[in-house]
Amino acid sequence: MYKVQKEFSRFANSYDRYSIIQKDVSIKLINLIDFKPQKILDLGSGTGEVIRNINWKFDKFIGIDISEDMCKIHPKNKNIEVQNLSFEDENIYNQNLNFDIVISSSAIQWAKDLNRLFFNISKVSQNIAFAIFTSNTFTTIHKISNLNSPIYSSEELLENLNRYFNFSYEIKNYKLKFENKIEMFRYIKKSGVSGGFKRLEFKDTKNLIKNYPFNYLEFEVIFMVGEIKKNK
Ligand SMILES: C[S@@+](CC[C@H](N)C(=O)[O-])C[C@H]1O[C@@H](n2cnc3c(N)ncnc32)[C@H](O)[C@@H]1O
């Protein structure tokens, strides 16, 4: 079982309450799509944030998520199908499927092989719309506790995307404020994006909580919309 899957599954039911930023991210991402794609593939579809924000009629929506618990919660009907798979499963992209767009909101940061994933996506869709958390998420926490971010930098993401897509992008920084530090660190655990923080010893965690200078957490998300390169 993937580590990521475990983290998200554990909090599947309380997840919606803890996903304030992800909700904002998916709304902004869907607003960046300037046409009405009919065949949609959503990678890391979670509990259905993307589908909830799609406000046009479409023919087919397929959500892919590695967490069975998330798949159970995601809305389904005759146009909306959910498959409990990793989006890195090659079979998804080898079935002669064709989508108008591949969307992914707050999920691709967990990809193990970005290059392969983007190559696969470019085989099945003309268009893309991605929102991806970058390594500048929890940046001060990582600095204080000498941890490396477990997720990709915006440079790595852009370099890999550039091979397969023409796109425009925007980087957005979020600050999520908390009443106190205990609440803040509880949020990190429950949000399912605790990356690296769990590996800390108890005394290091205590030090971190003491020395963390802000009453907010930092997040960075890169938004990109584009289309596949013709002669890649
Ligand atoms: C932060 S949630 C975002 C969910 C949803 N897209 C949203 O915007 O709220 C990330 C999702 O990606 C899923 N995920 C992580 N790695 C995955 C993988 N390799 N394949 C499929 N889903 C994955 C997790 O199970 C989780 O549901």
Side-chain angles (χ1 to χ4, degrees):
M1 187 148 92
Y2 283 35
K3 189 165 171 271
V4 174
Q5 181 190 5
K6 262 205 241 158
E7 266 193 78
F8 284 105
S9 288
R10 243 176 84 207
F11 298 110
N13 288 319
S14 55
Y15 173 85
D16 272 339
R17 268 182 286 136
Y18 287 99
S19 58
I20 305 159
I21 304 250
Q22 280 100 316
K23 279 190 205 293
D24 189 274
V25 167
S26 63
I27 292 169
K28 182 174 164 63
L29 180 65
I30 301 303
N31 280 337
L32 288 172
I33 301 171
D34 62 1
F35 68 113
K36 295 179 176 165
Q38 292 302 300
K39 289 188 197 144
I40 303 164
L41 180 66
D42 177 14
L43 303 180
S45 47
T47 57
E49 222 41 71
V50 165
I51 191 67
R52 269 193 282 281
N53 288 306
I54 290 180
N55 57 6
W56 62 89
K57 275 208 171 123
F58 56 86
D59 285 343
K60 187 81 190 165
F61 176 101
I62 300 182
I64 305 280
D65 204 286
I66 199 168
S67 159
E68 201 181 344
D69 291 352
M70 292 286 186
C71 291
K72 279 186 194 149
I73 299 172
H74 194 289
K76 292 163 207 85
N77 66 29
K78 66 175 181 10
N79 307 95
I80 304 174
E81 188 186 315
V82 181
Q83 298 180 7
N84 181 202
L85 292 170
S86 166
F87 52 61
E88 296 195 280
D89 184 333
E90 297 274 327
N91 294 325
I92 302 170
Y93 311 95
N94 289 332
Q95 300 171 40
N96 260 334
L97 293 175
N98 233 312
F99 295 94
D100 297 325
I101 195 164
V102 175
I103 301 177
S104 183
S105 192
S106 310
I108 285 181
Q109 65 273 4
W110 301 118
K112 294 209 169 86
D113 187 342
L114 267 190
N115 180 51
R116 190 75 198 164
L117 177 65
F118 292 153
F119 167 71
N120 277 330
I121 292 171
S122 74
K123 289 195 302 191
V124 299
S125 180
Q126 285 305 306
N127 298 285
I128 51 154
F130 301 152
I132 309 173
F133 281 80
T134 80
S135 57
N136 277 338
T137 296
F138 301 154
T139 185
T140 305
I141 291 184
H142 289 134
K143 267 182 213 141
I144 291 179
S145 43
N146 271 327
L147 288 171
N148 287 325
S149 171
I151 58 178
Y152 300 101
S153 65
S154 52
E155 291 80 11
E156 286 170 292
L157 291 164
L158 289 169
E159 190 190 319
N160 278 283
L161 272 163
N162 246 321
R163 296 198 187 112
Y164 305 105
F165 307 103
N166 290 318
F167 57 92
S168 56
Y169 73 93
E170 189 184 318
I171 291 179
K172 186 169 173 182
N173 291 90
Y174 290 87
K175 286 178 182 173
L176 188 61
K177 282 196 178 166
F178 290 83
E179 298 260 317
N180 60 60
K181 287 189 184 173
I182 302 293
E183 282 299 310
M184 195 182 321
F185 285 92
R186 196 172 282 157
Y187 172 89
I188 304 182
K189 268 181 95 180
K190 299 233 175 187
S191 69
V193 279
S194 57
F197 177 61
K198 274 189 184 159
R199 292 198 301 269
L200 290 180
E201 304 253 334
F202 179 67
K203 82 170 179 357
D204 297 327
T205 308
K206 254 179 84 179
N207 266 340
L208 172 62
I209 294 176
K210 195 168 142 229
N211 294 327
Y212 190 69
F214 308 127
N215 66 346
Y216 57 81
L217 289 173
E218 302 151 298
F219 298 82
E220 187 179 273
V221 179
I222 185 162
F223 294 84
M224 52 250 311
V225 286
E227 54 187 30
I228 56 163
K229 282 187 174 167
K230 297 285 180 269
N231 301 313
K232 56 177 194 321

